[in-house]
Amino acid sequence: MRTIQDSFEPDSFRDTGHRVVDLLADYLRSAQKRAVPVLPTIAPEELLSLWDGPTQTQGDHSDDSEDRMLGFIREVLNQSNHVHHPGYMGHQVAVPLPAAALIEMVHAVLNNGMAVYEMGQLQTVLERRVVEFLAEKLGLGSGADGVFTHGGSLGNLTALLAARQANAGYDVWTHGQQHPMSVLVSEQAHYCIARSVQTMGWGAQGAWPVNTDEGFRMSMDGLHRAFDQAQGAGRQVIAVAASACSTATGSFDPIPPIADFCDQHGLWLHVDGAHGASLALSQRHRHRLTGIERADSVVWDLHKMMGMPALSTAILFREGRRGYGVFSQDASYLFDSSPPDEQWFNPGHRTLECTKRGMGATAYGMLKLLGCRWFEDQIDALMERTAWLESLLRDSPDFELACAPQANIVCFRHIPLTGSSTDMSGTELDQHQARLREAVVQDGSYYIVQTHLHGRLWLRTTLMNPMTTRDDINNLVDGLHKAASRLIQ
Ligand SMILES: *Cc1c(COP(=O)(O)O)cnc(C)c1O
């Protein structure tokens, strides 16, 4: 019988660790070479039936032996979605840098929880350097400050809590909310904005929808209208949350006129840059973010276009002190413009979570080791792949784009042509997209997703993988054509 101490034995960690890294390196190669299906599709109940739960009888402390460990990891690898496969172009998660995964392993071994300085001193310092770097890239100015948190959803909630504290006009944190509030958001905003305000108790009208233009960007007429309507309905409008970019179509709301509108009406400007803020690192593409320097708060996910393993999110405040008031039990922050007496080096004061992973330190390591240029090249590479797909689809008369792509996201549909007319529409056409997607995903060479836009179903790809080649993209469109003709017969 092994002791509990045996499970901490450094040499067995060394031996197993070397074998696990070998296994992962082989896995990376086979995924990159397209030797595995992107997603081995299996229904939830079927997969569940393959795995029984932990049982009391497995109590001899022996189950972390090297071979069993490797067997387990092999199964995990086999039965997961393979984002390193160049045919992965589905949701917006990064193809993570293998070196970043190694740094994450260091965090897992150290387990410095970061809520207070002494439980993560270096992680805290490195996170601060990354926050400064990101704020500077957005042009937020020397008063900016921020903190890392676990994911864009939590980041948006945190920013909107700050907005409420700044703009409610009374001490909501202490006394509770006394009347209904709203934040104006485009109808294309990520659902987590609505979830955040509903979590705060604002109800379904907490996220007041603003309609969008033909590019799925917030309409300025719509913004004026929504403001009047929300106020007319007796709601205190405290903020506008702009998407940069939106999740479904990758559309960038026009920040300069939205910022003017916010100035005019004394509203907080939050920019949800979870996906698109990374474009700030690219000379070629940063123009999409023009005006973001005027935001009161910005959320930026580094586990999307920046190659970090999930989760890795920065919340940035133009007036850094705002971030210190979010979870403060002392409401003086709300109204006092003197510097916060909370210290920057105790990050737990500014996050919903207490313990958190050293995600800023991982980002620091990668930014320092690879250099900013790597990230710029990565963004440009993803955008270039998007342009390849866009131009192929434009050249195919039987494909329709939802809008011109603004980020690395492309939404499109296949419209079957008979002669020069189509005889599918409405629900039938939607079902055709769903079946097409299913066929392509089942085949294993690609992973693409789908989304509803104005009630219709569209195919959706996010070009996340710099190893995706022009041939991969040609073959995707080819494969869709072939699957479509099989389905139509
Ligand atoms: C991905 C995304 C989110 C959610 O972020 P998570 O890190 O998945 O919680 C929020 N907003 C936008 C615009 C996004 O693209």
CSV table of all heavy atoms in Angstrom, one decimal, residues 431-482:
chain,number,residue,atom,x,y,z
A,431,GLN,N,-32.4,24.9,-42.1
A,431,GLN,CA,-32.1,23.4,-41.9
A,431,GLN,C,-31.0,23.0,-42.8
A,431,GLN,O,-30.2,22.1,-42.4
A,431,GLN,CB,-33.4,22.6,-42.1
A,431,GLN,CG,-34.3,22.7,-40.9
A,431,GLN,CD,-35.7,22.2,-41.2
A,431,GLN,OE1,-36.0,21.8,-42.4
A,431,GLN,NE2,-36.6,22.1,-40.2
A,432,HIS,N,-31.0,23.5,-44.0
A,432,HIS,CA,-29.9,23.2,-44.9
A,432,HIS,C,-28.5,23.5,-44.3
A,432,HIS,O,-27.6,22.8,-44.4
A,432,HIS,CB,-30.1,23.9,-46.2
A,432,HIS,CG,-29.1,23.7,-47.3
A,432,HIS,ND1,-28.7,22.4,-47.7
A,432,HIS,CD2,-28.2,24.5,-47.9
A,432,HIS,CE1,-27.8,22.5,-48.6
A,432,HIS,NE2,-27.4,23.8,-48.7
A,433,GLN,N,-28.4,24.7,-43.7
A,433,GLN,CA,-27.2,25.1,-43.0
A,433,GLN,C,-26.8,24.2,-41.9
A,433,GLN,O,-25.6,23.8,-41.8
A,433,GLN,CB,-27.2,26.6,-42.5
A,433,GLN,CG,-27.8,27.6,-43.4
A,433,GLN,CD,-27.2,27.6,-44.8
A,433,GLN,OE1,-26.0,27.5,-45.0
A,433,GLN,NE2,-28.1,27.7,-45.8
A,434,ALA,N,-27.8,23.9,-41.1
A,434,ALA,CA,-27.5,23.0,-39.9
A,434,ALA,C,-27.0,21.6,-40.4
A,434,ALA,O,-26.1,21.0,-39.8
A,434,ALA,CB,-28.8,22.8,-39.1
A,435,ARG,N,-27.7,21.1,-41.5
A,435,ARG,CA,-27.2,19.8,-42.0
A,435,ARG,C,-25.8,19.9,-42.6
A,435,ARG,O,-25.0,18.9,-42.5
A,435,ARG,CB,-28.3,19.3,-43.0
A,435,ARG,CG,-29.5,18.7,-42.3
A,435,ARG,CD,-30.3,17.9,-43.4
A,435,ARG,NE,-30.9,18.7,-44.4
A,435,ARG,CZ,-32.1,19.2,-44.3
A,435,ARG,NH1,-32.9,18.9,-43.4
A,435,ARG,NH2,-32.6,20.0,-45.3
A,436,LEU,N,-25.6,21.0,-43.3
A,436,LEU,CA,-24.2,21.1,-43.9
A,436,LEU,C,-23.2,21.1,-42.8
A,436,LEU,O,-22.1,20.5,-42.9
A,436,LEU,CB,-24.2,22.5,-44.6
A,436,LEU,CG,-24.2,22.6,-46.1
A,436,LEU,CD1,-24.0,24.0,-46.5
A,436,LEU,CD2,-23.2,21.7,-46.7
A,437,ARG,N,-23.4,21.9,-41.7
A,437,ARG,CA,-22.5,22.0,-40.7
A,437,ARG,C,-22.3,20.6,-40.0
A,437,ARG,O,-21.1,20.1,-39.8
A,437,ARG,CB,-23.0,22.9,-39.6
A,437,ARG,CG,-22.0,23.1,-38.4
A,437,ARG,CD,-22.6,23.9,-37.3
A,437,ARG,NE,-23.0,23.1,-36.2
A,437,ARG,CZ,-22.2,22.6,-35.2
A,437,ARG,NH1,-20.9,22.9,-35.1
A,437,ARG,NH2,-22.7,21.9,-34.2
A,438,GLU,N,-23.4,19.9,-39.8
A,438,GLU,CA,-23.3,18.5,-39.2
A,438,GLU,C,-22.4,17.6,-40.1
A,438,GLU,O,-21.5,16.9,-39.6
A,438,GLU,CB,-24.7,18.0,-39.1
A,438,GLU,CG,-24.8,16.9,-38.0
A,438,GLU,CD,-26.2,16.5,-37.9
A,438,GLU,OE1,-27.0,17.3,-37.4
A,438,GLU,OE2,-26.5,15.3,-38.3
A,439,ALA,N,-22.6,17.7,-41.4
A,439,ALA,CA,-21.9,16.9,-42.3
A,439,ALA,C,-20.4,17.2,-42.3
A,439,ALA,O,-19.6,16.3,-42.2
A,439,ALA,CB,-22.4,17.1,-43.8
A,440,VAL,N,-20.1,18.4,-42.3
A,440,VAL,CA,-18.7,18.8,-42.2
A,440,VAL,C,-18.0,18.5,-40.9
A,440,VAL,O,-16.9,17.9,-40.9
A,440,VAL,CB,-18.5,20.4,-42.5
A,440,VAL,CG1,-17.2,20.9,-42.1
A,440,VAL,CG2,-18.9,20.7,-43.9
A,441,VAL,N,-18.7,18.7,-39.8
A,441,VAL,CA,-18.1,18.4,-38.5
A,441,VAL,C,-18.0,16.8,-38.3
A,441,VAL,O,-16.9,16.4,-37.8
A,441,VAL,CB,-18.9,19.0,-37.4
A,441,VAL,CG1,-18.4,18.6,-36.0
A,441,VAL,CG2,-18.9,20.5,-37.5
A,442,GLN,N,-19.0,16.1,-38.8
A,442,GLN,CA,-19.0,14.6,-38.6
A,442,GLN,C,-17.8,14.1,-39.4
A,442,GLN,O,-17.1,13.1,-39.0
A,442,GLN,CB,-20.2,14.0,-39.2
A,442,GLN,CG,-21.5,14.2,-38.4
A,442,GLN,CD,-21.5,13.2,-37.2
A,442,GLN,OE1,-20.7,12.3,-37.2
A,442,GLN,NE2,-22.4,13.5,-36.3
A,443,ASP,N,-17.5,14.7,-40.6
A,443,ASP,CA,-16.4,14.2,-41.4
A,443,ASP,C,-15.1,14.3,-40.7
A,443,ASP,O,-14.1,13.6,-41.0
A,443,ASP,CB,-16.5,15.0,-42.7
A,443,ASP,CG,-15.3,14.7,-43.6
A,443,ASP,OD1,-15.2,13.5,-44.0
A,443,ASP,OD2,-14.4,15.6,-43.8
A,444,GLY,N,-15.0,15.3,-39.8
A,444,GLY,CA,-13.8,15.3,-39.0
A,444,GLY,C,-12.6,16.2,-39.4
A,444,GLY,O,-11.7,16.5,-38.7
A,445,SER,N,-12.7,16.7,-40.7
A,445,SER,CA,-11.6,17.6,-41.2
A,445,SER,C,-11.7,19.0,-40.7
A,445,SER,O,-10.8,19.8,-40.7
A,445,SER,CB,-11.6,17.6,-42.7
A,445,SER,OG,-11.6,16.3,-43.1
A,446,TYR,N,-13.0,19.4,-40.3
A,446,TYR,CA,-13.2,20.8,-39.9
A,446,TYR,C,-14.1,20.9,-38.7
A,446,TYR,O,-14.9,20.0,-38.5
A,446,TYR,CB,-13.8,21.6,-41.1
A,446,TYR,CG,-12.8,21.7,-42.2
A,446,TYR,CD1,-12.9,20.8,-43.3
A,446,TYR,CD2,-11.9,22.7,-42.3
A,446,TYR,CE1,-12.0,20.9,-44.3
A,446,TYR,CE2,-11.0,22.8,-43.3
A,446,TYR,CZ,-11.0,21.9,-44.3
A,446,TYR,OH,-10.1,21.9,-45.4
A,447,TYR,N,-13.9,22.0,-38.0
A,447,TYR,CA,-14.9,22.3,-36.9
A,447,TYR,C,-15.4,23.7,-37.2
A,447,TYR,O,-14.6,24.7,-37.1
A,447,TYR,CB,-14.3,22.1,-35.5
A,447,TYR,CG,-15.3,22.5,-34.5
A,447,TYR,CD1,-16.4,21.6,-34.3
A,447,TYR,CD2,-15.2,23.6,-33.7
A,447,TYR,CE1,-17.4,21.9,-33.3
A,447,TYR,CE2,-16.2,23.9,-32.7
A,447,TYR,CZ,-17.3,23.1,-32.6
A,447,TYR,OH,-18.2,23.3,-31.6
A,448,ILE,N,-16.6,23.8,-37.6
A,448,ILE,CA,-17.2,25.2,-37.7
A,448,ILE,C,-18.5,25.2,-36.9
A,448,ILE,O,-19.0,24.1,-36.5
A,448,ILE,CB,-17.5,25.5,-39.2
A,448,ILE,CG1,-18.6,24.5,-39.8
A,448,ILE,CG2,-16.3,25.4,-40.1
A,448,ILE,CD1,-19.1,24.9,-41.2
A,449,VAL,N,-19.0,26.4,-36.6
A,449,VAL,CA,-20.2,26.5,-35.8
A,449,VAL,C,-21.3,27.2,-36.5
A,449,VAL,O,-21.2,27.4,-37.8
A,449,VAL,CB,-19.9,27.1,-34.4
A,449,VAL,CG1,-18.9,26.2,-33.6
A,449,VAL,CG2,-19.2,28.5,-34.6
A,450,GLN,N,-22.4,27.5,-35.8
A,450,GLN,CA,-23.5,28.2,-36.5
A,450,GLN,C,-24.0,29.2,-35.5
A,450,GLN,O,-23.8,29.2,-34.3
A,450,GLN,CB,-24.6,27.2,-36.9
A,450,GLN,CG,-25.2,26.5,-35.7
A,450,GLN,CD,-26.0,25.3,-36.1
A,450,GLN,OE1,-25.8,24.6,-37.1
A,450,GLN,NE2,-27.0,25.0,-35.3
A,451,THR,N,-24.7,30.2,-36.1
A,451,THR,CA,-25.3,31.2,-35.2
A,451,THR,C,-26.6,31.8,-35.8
A,451,THR,O,-26.8,31.7,-37.1
A,451,THR,CB,-24.3,32.4,-35.0
A,451,THR,OG1,-24.8,33.3,-34.0
A,451,THR,CG2,-24.1,33.2,-36.3
A,452,HIS,N,-27.5,32.3,-35.0
A,452,HIS,CA,-28.7,32.9,-35.5
A,452,HIS,C,-28.5,34.4,-35.7
A,452,HIS,O,-27.9,35.1,-34.8
A,452,HIS,CB,-29.9,32.7,-34.5
A,452,HIS,CG,-30.5,31.4,-34.6
A,452,HIS,ND1,-30.2,30.3,-33.8
A,452,HIS,CD2,-31.4,30.9,-35.6
A,452,HIS,CE1,-30.9,29.2,-34.2
A,452,HIS,NE2,-31.6,29.6,-35.2
A,453,LEU,N,-28.8,35.0,-36.8
A,453,LEU,CA,-28.8,36.4,-37.0
A,453,LEU,C,-30.2,36.8,-37.6
A,453,LEU,O,-30.6,36.3,-38.6
A,453,LEU,CB,-27.7,36.7,-38.1
A,453,LEU,CG,-26.3,36.4,-37.7
A,453,LEU,CD1,-25.3,36.6,-38.9
A,453,LEU,CD2,-25.8,37.3,-36.5
A,454,HIS,N,-30.8,37.7,-36.9
A,454,HIS,CA,-32.1,38.2,-37.2
A,454,HIS,C,-33.0,37.0,-37.5
A,454,HIS,O,-33.8,36.9,-38.5
A,454,HIS,CB,-32.1,39.1,-38.5
A,454,HIS,CG,-31.3,40.4,-38.2
A,454,HIS,ND1,-31.4,41.1,-37.0
A,454,HIS,CD2,-30.5,41.0,-39.0
A,454,HIS,CE1,-30.6,42.1,-37.1
A,454,HIS,NE2,-30.0,42.1,-38.3
A,455,GLY,N,-32.9,36.0,-36.7
A,455,GLY,CA,-33.8,34.8,-36.7
A,455,GLY,C,-33.5,33.8,-37.8
A,455,GLY,O,-34.2,32.8,-37.9
A,456,ARG,N,-32.4,34.0,-38.6
A,456,ARG,CA,-32.0,33.0,-39.6
A,456,ARG,C,-30.7,32.4,-39.2
A,456,ARG,O,-29.9,33.0,-38.4
A,456,ARG,CB,-31.9,33.7,-40.9
A,456,ARG,CG,-33.1,34.3,-41.5
A,456,ARG,CD,-33.8,33.3,-42.4
A,456,ARG,NE,-34.5,32.2,-41.8
A,456,ARG,CZ,-35.8,32.2,-41.5
A,456,ARG,NH1,-36.6,33.1,-41.9
A,456,ARG,NH2,-36.4,31.1,-40.9
A,457,LEU,N,-30.5,31.1,-39.6
A,457,LEU,CA,-29.3,30.4,-39.2
A,457,LEU,C,-28.2,30.6,-40.2
A,457,LEU,O,-28.4,30.5,-41.5
A,457,LEU,CB,-29.7,28.9,-39.1
A,457,LEU,CG,-28.7,28.1,-38.3
A,457,LEU,CD1,-28.6,28.5,-36.9
A,457,LEU,CD2,-28.9,26.6,-38.5
A,458,TRP,N,-27.0,30.9,-39.7
A,458,TRP,CA,-25.8,31.1,-40.6
A,458,TRP,C,-24.7,30.2,-40.1
A,458,TRP,O,-24.6,29.9,-38.9
A,458,TRP,CB,-25.4,32.5,-40.5
A,458,TRP,CG,-26.4,33.5,-41.0
A,458,TRP,CD1,-27.5,33.9,-40.4
A,458,TRP,CD2,-26.3,34.2,-42.3
A,458,TRP,NE1,-28.2,34.8,-41.2
A,458,TRP,CE2,-27.4,35.0,-42.4
A,458,TRP,CE3,-25.4,34.2,-43.3
A,458,TRP,CZ2,-27.7,35.8,-43.5
A,458,TRP,CZ3,-25.6,35.0,-44.4
A,458,TRP,CH2,-26.8,35.8,-44.5
A,459,LEU,N,-23.9,29.8,-41.0
A,459,LEU,CA,-22.7,29.1,-40.7
A,459,LEU,C,-21.7,30.1,-40.2
A,459,LEU,O,-21.7,31.3,-40.6
A,459,LEU,CB,-22.1,28.3,-41.9
A,459,LEU,CG,-23.0,27.3,-42.5
A,459,LEU,CD1,-22.4,26.7,-43.8
A,459,LEU,CD2,-23.2,26.1,-41.5
A,460,ARG,N,-20.8,29.7,-39.2
A,460,ARG,CA,-19.9,30.7,-38.6
A,460,ARG,C,-18.5,30.0,-38.4
A,460,ARG,O,-18.4,28.9,-37.9
A,460,ARG,CB,-20.5,31.1,-37.3
A,460,ARG,CG,-19.6,32.1,-36.5
A,460,ARG,CD,-20.4,32.6,-35.3
A,460,ARG,NE,-19.5,33.4,-34.5
A,460,ARG,CZ,-18.7,33.0,-33.5
A,460,ARG,NH1,-18.7,31.7,-33.2
A,460,ARG,NH2,-17.9,33.8,-32.8
A,461,THR,N,-17.5,30.7,-38.9
A,461,THR,CA,-16.1,30.3,-38.6
A,461,THR,C,-15.4,31.4,-37.9
A,461,THR,O,-15.6,32.6,-38.2
A,461,THR,CB,-15.4,30.0,-39.9
A,461,THR,OG1,-15.4,31.1,-40.8
A,461,THR,CG2,-16.0,28.8,-40.7
A,462,THR,N,-14.5,31.0,-37.1
A,462,THR,CA,-13.5,32.0,-36.5
A,462,THR,C,-12.1,31.4,-36.8
A,462,THR,O,-11.8,30.3,-36.4
A,462,THR,CB,-13.7,32.1,-35.0
A,462,THR,OG1,-15.1,32.2,-34.7
A,462,THR,CG2,-12.9,33.3,-34.4
A,463,LEU,N,-11.4,32.2,-37.5
A,463,LEU,CA,-10.0,31.7,-38.0
A,463,LEU,C,-9.1,32.0,-36.8
A,463,LEU,O,-8.6,33.1,-36.6
A,463,LEU,CB,-9.6,32.5,-39.2
A,463,LEU,CG,-10.2,32.0,-40.6
A,463,LEU,CD1,-9.8,30.5,-40.9
A,463,LEU,CD2,-11.7,32.1,-40.6
A,464,MET,N,-8.9,30.9,-36.0
A,464,MET,CA,-8.1,31.1,-34.8
A,464,MET,C,-6.7,30.5,-34.9
A,464,MET,O,-5.8,30.7,-34.1
A,464,MET,CB,-8.8,30.4,-33.6
A,464,MET,CG,-10.1,31.0,-33.2
A,464,MET,SD,-10.0,32.7,-32.8
A,464,MET,CE,-9.1,32.7,-31.2
A,465,ASN,N,-6.5,29.7,-36.0
A,465,ASN,CA,-5.3,28.9,-36.0
A,465,ASN,C,-4.3,29.4,-37.1
A,465,ASN,O,-4.6,29.3,-38.3
A,465,ASN,CB,-5.7,27.4,-36.3
A,465,ASN,CG,-4.5,26.5,-36.0
A,465,ASN,OD1,-3.4,26.8,-36.1
A,465,ASN,ND2,-4.9,25.2,-35.7
A,466,PRO,N,-3.1,29.9,-36.7
A,466,PRO,CA,-2.2,30.4,-37.7
A,466,PRO,C,-1.6,29.3,-38.6
A,466,PRO,O,-1.0,29.5,-39.6
A,466,PRO,CB,-1.1,31.0,-36.8
A,466,PRO,CG,-1.2,30.4,-35.5
A,466,PRO,CD,-2.6,30.0,-35.3
A,467,MET,N,-1.8,28.0,-38.2
A,467,MET,CA,-1.4,26.9,-39.0
A,467,MET,C,-2.4,26.5,-40.1
A,467,MET,O,-2.1,25.6,-40.9
A,467,MET,CB,-1.0,25.7,-38.1
A,467,MET,CG,0.4,25.7,-37.7
A,467,MET,SD,0.9,25.8,-36.0
A,467,MET,CE,-0.5,25.7,-35.0
A,468,THR,N,-3.5,27.1,-40.1
A,468,THR,CA,-4.5,26.9,-41.1
A,468,THR,C,-3.9,27.5,-42.4
A,468,THR,O,-3.5,28.6,-42.5
A,468,THR,CB,-5.8,27.6,-40.8
A,468,THR,OG1,-6.4,27.1,-39.6
A,468,THR,CG2,-6.9,27.4,-41.9
A,469,THR,N,-3.9,26.6,-43.5
A,469,THR,CA,-3.3,27.1,-44.7
A,469,THR,C,-4.4,27.5,-45.7
A,469,THR,O,-5.5,27.2,-45.5
A,469,THR,CB,-2.5,25.9,-45.4
A,469,THR,OG1,-3.4,24.9,-45.7
A,469,THR,CG2,-1.4,25.4,-44.4
A,470,ARG,N,-3.9,28.0,-46.8
A,470,ARG,CA,-4.8,28.4,-47.9
A,470,ARG,C,-5.5,27.2,-48.4
A,470,ARG,O,-6.7,27.2,-48.8
A,470,ARG,CB,-4.1,29.1,-49.0
A,470,ARG,CG,-4.9,30.1,-49.8
A,470,ARG,CD,-4.1,30.6,-51.0
A,470,ARG,NE,-3.6,31.9,-50.7
A,470,ARG,CZ,-4.3,33.0,-51.1
A,470,ARG,NH1,-5.5,33.0,-51.5
A,470,ARG,NH2,-3.7,34.2,-50.9
A,471,ASP,N,-4.8,26.0,-48.5
A,471,ASP,CA,-5.4,24.8,-48.9
A,471,ASP,C,-6.5,24.3,-48.0
A,471,ASP,O,-7.5,23.8,-48.5
A,471,ASP,CB,-4.3,23.7,-49.0
A,471,ASP,CG,-3.6,23.7,-50.3
A,471,ASP,OD1,-4.0,24.4,-51.2
A,471,ASP,OD2,-2.5,23.0,-50.4
A,472,ASP,N,-6.3,24.5,-46.7
A,472,ASP,CA,-7.3,24.1,-45.7
A,472,ASP,C,-8.6,24.9,-46.1
A,472,ASP,O,-9.7,24.3,-46.0
A,472,ASP,CB,-6.9,24.5,-44.3
A,472,ASP,CG,-5.8,23.5,-43.8
A,472,ASP,OD1,-6.0,22.3,-44.0
A,472,ASP,OD2,-4.9,24.0,-43.2
A,473,ILE,N,-8.4,26.2,-46.4
A,473,ILE,CA,-9.6,27.0,-46.6
A,473,ILE,C,-10.3,26.6,-47.9
A,473,ILE,O,-11.5,26.5,-48.0
A,473,ILE,CB,-9.2,28.5,-46.5
A,473,ILE,CG1,-8.9,28.8,-45.0
A,473,ILE,CG2,-10.3,29.4,-47.0
A,473,ILE,CD1,-8.3,30.1,-44.7
A,474,ASN,N,-9.4,26.4,-49.0
A,474,ASN,CA,-10.0,26.0,-50.2
A,474,ASN,C,-10.8,24.7,-50.0
A,474,ASN,O,-11.9,24.5,-50.6
A,474,ASN,CB,-8.9,25.7,-51.2
A,474,ASN,CG,-8.2,26.9,-51.7
A,474,ASN,OD1,-8.8,28.0,-51.7
A,474,ASN,ND2,-7.0,26.8,-52.2
A,475,ASN,N,-10.2,23.7,-49.3
A,475,ASN,CA,-10.8,22.4,-49.1
A,475,ASN,C,-12.1,22.5,-48.3
A,475,ASN,O,-13.0,21.7,-48.5
A,475,ASN,CB,-9.8,21.4,-48.4
A,475,ASN,CG,-8.7,21.1,-49.3
A,475,ASN,OD1,-8.8,21.3,-50.6
A,475,ASN,ND2,-7.6,20.7,-48.8
A,476,LEU,N,-12.1,23.5,-47.4
A,476,LEU,CA,-13.4,23.7,-46.6
A,476,LEU,C,-14.5,24.1,-47.5
A,476,LEU,O,-15.6,23.5,-47.5
A,476,LEU,CB,-13.2,24.8,-45.5
A,476,LEU,CG,-14.5,25.2,-44.9
A,476,LEU,CD1,-15.1,24.1,-44.0
A,476,LEU,CD2,-14.3,26.5,-44.0
A,477,VAL,N,-14.2,25.1,-48.4
A,477,VAL,CA,-15.3,25.5,-49.3
A,477,VAL,C,-15.7,24.4,-50.3
A,477,VAL,O,-16.9,24.2,-50.5
A,477,VAL,CB,-14.8,26.8,-50.0
A,477,VAL,CG1,-15.9,27.3,-51.0
A,477,VAL,CG2,-14.6,27.9,-49.0
A,478,ASP,N,-14.7,23.7,-50.7
A,478,ASP,CA,-14.9,22.6,-51.6
A,478,ASP,C,-15.8,21.5,-50.9
A,478,ASP,O,-16.7,21.0,-51.4
A,478,ASP,CB,-13.5,21.9,-51.8
A,478,ASP,CG,-13.3,21.7,-53.3
A,478,ASP,OD1,-13.7,22.6,-54.1
A,478,ASP,OD2,-12.7,20.7,-53.6
A,479,GLY,N,-15.4,21.2,-49.6
A,479,GLY,CA,-16.1,20.2,-48.9
A,479,GLY,C,-17.5,20.6,-48.6
A,479,GLY,O,-18.4,19.8,-48.7
A,480,LEU,N,-17.7,21.9,-48.4
A,480,LEU,CA,-19.1,22.4,-48.2
A,480,LEU,C,-19.9,22.2,-49.5
A,480,LEU,O,-21.1,21.8,-49.5
A,480,LEU,CB,-19.1,23.9,-47.8
A,480,LEU,CG,-18.7,24.1,-46.3
A,480,LEU,CD1,-18.4,25.6,-46.1
A,480,LEU,CD2,-19.8,23.7,-45.3
A,481,HIS,N,-19.3,22.6,-50.6
A,481,HIS,CA,-20.0,22.4,-51.9
A,481,HIS,C,-20.4,20.9,-52.1
A,481,HIS,O,-21.5,20.6,-52.5
A,481,HIS,CB,-19.0,22.8,-53.0
A,481,HIS,CG,-19.1,24.3,-53.4
A,481,HIS,ND1,-18.0,25.1,-53.6
A,481,HIS,CD2,-20.2,25.1,-53.6
A,481,HIS,CE1,-18.4,26.3,-53.9
A,481,HIS,NE2,-19.7,26.3,-53.9
A,482,LYS,N,-19.4,20.0,-51.8
A,482,LYS,CA,-19.7,18.6,-52.1
A,482,LYS,C,-20.8,18.1,-51.1
A,482,LYS,O,-21.7,17.4,-51.5
A,482,LYS,CB,-18.4,17.8,-51.9
A,482,LYS,CG,-17.5,18.0,-53.0
A,482,LYS,CD,-16.3,17.0,-53.0
A,482,LYS,CE,-15.4,17.2,-54.1
A,482,LYS,NZ,-14.0,17.5,-53.7
